[in-house]
Amino acid sequence: MAVNFVNNRAVNDKVIQQAVQQAYKSFLMEKENPGFALYIDIPGELVDINVHPSKSEVRFAEPGKIFGFIMSAVKRELEK
């Protein structure tokens, strides 16, 4: 189970999910999914919270940078 928070709002975001899965890729067997809780604080102008009526999805201004940052940070922690 994955729980993601962006600026204290619980969200379901594919960029976050894929970044974490990519970071775990060499640590899990195929078809396994990591359980995690991720809290991200980001300046409001870099994220759009009005993507979904229930505000459960977000859109990042630069999703590639967010993906790379999350993947690198999670992978770095896993390698410790």
Side-chain angles (χ1 to χ4, degrees):
M1 176 178 205
V3 180
N4 307 303
F5 292 88
V6 175
N7 296 348
N8 294 319
R9 180 184 305 272
V11 298
N12 184 13
D13 183 74
K14 289 179 181 164
V15 171
I16 296 171
Q17 299 282 0
Q18 290 172 353
V20 173
Q21 288 176 337
Q22 184 67 29
Y24 268 90
K25 191 173 184 176
S26 63
F27 294 91
L28 297 176
M29 297 179 72
E30 192 173 327
K31 302 212 184 218
E32 284 186 314
N33 292 310
F36 63 94
L38 189 62
Y39 296 83
I40 300 172
D41 286 318
I42 187 170
E45 64 270 11
L46 298 178
V47 62
D48 181 1
I49 61 167
N50 295 313
V51 176
H52 191 273
S54 69
K55 310 273 193 251
S56 63
E57 296 178 17
V58 294
R59 182 178 299 128
F60 295 106
E62 297 185 47
K65 285 186 179 181
I66 296 296
F67 178 92
F69 176 78
I70 292 170
M71 186 187 71
S72 296
V74 172
K75 193 170 187 178
R76 194 170 43 249
E77 289 300 312
L78 290 170
E79 290 172 344
K80 284 184 177 180

